[in-house]
Amino acid sequence: MLHLTPEQRVFVMERHLATLTTLRADGTPHVVPVAFTWDADKGVARITTKRSSVKARNARGYSGQPPRVALCQVDGGRWITIEGTSTVIEDTEVIADAVKRYAVRYRPLEADPERIVIEVKADNVMSSVYMAR
């Protein structure tokens, strides 16, 4: 499991948006702004979205292999990129936990029966030099 440095962990707890890069069926990148939360105990990032979204479809993958994705958060000269494999989760307990974490970092979400979670199991992180120490 990947652990972030203390500086990286602080940065992913601040209220910033990120971009999520997934791959379409033809291999081209699909990049969209997202809000995400970091679960330090499990080394995963979570993004809530609608079941029918393009990012959810891409996060399911096309080749039978776990899809590779990247989250990139930037604030001026500070940045972090979290890379890993994605899994789409439709379990109501996981969704409820993700919504609760989202409310802490960003704002409360309205109930949505179409909501699912894209979970990114992090296996690589890159960041501004001062955060990588």
Side-chain angles (χ1 to χ4, degrees):
M1 175 175 47
L2 182 82
H3 293 282
L4 302 183
T5 67
E7 293 82 6
Q8 291 168 340
R9 189 181 293 178
V10 166
F11 188 48
V12 298
M13 298 303 288
E14 294 172 0
R15 191 180 189 278
H16 299 287
L17 293 178
T19 58
L20 174 66
T21 302
T22 59
L23 297 178
R24 296 179 181 100
D26 66 3
T28 59
H30 176 258
V31 184
V32 293
V34 295
F36 76 95
T37 59
W38 176 252
D39 183 335
D41 293 335
K42 295 186 178 179
V44 298
R46 292 191 187 94
I47 299 117
T48 65
T49 190
K50 290 196 177 287
R51 181 176 286 111
S52 60
S53 70
V54 172
K55 62 183 161 284
R57 184 170 55 244
N58 293 344
R60 282 178 166 67
Y62 299 99
S63 67
Q65 298 297 317
R68 299 286 304 166
V69 299
L71 276 167
C72 184
Q73 177 175 292
V74 178
D75 179 44
R78 300 184 307 156
W79 64 273
I80 189 168
T81 299
I82 298 169
E83 300 175 329
T85 54
S86 63
T87 305
V88 173
I89 301 174
E90 299 193 29
D91 178 86
T92 56
E93 288 181 26
V94 173
I95 294 168
D97 182 61
V99 167
K100 183 174 83 173
R101 290 170 184 267
Y102 183 100
V104 170
R105 186 172 185 199
Y106 298 101
R107 62 176 173 78
L109 291 169
E110 294 181 22
D112 184 348
E114 292 299 308
R115 181 171 288 118
I116 55 94
V117 170
I118 298 172
E119 192 170 86
V120 179
K121 182 177 181 181
D123 58 29
N124 189 46
V125 65
M126 299 172 286
S127 68
S128 303
V129 173
Y130 88 92
M131 283 194 275
R133 296 183 191 141

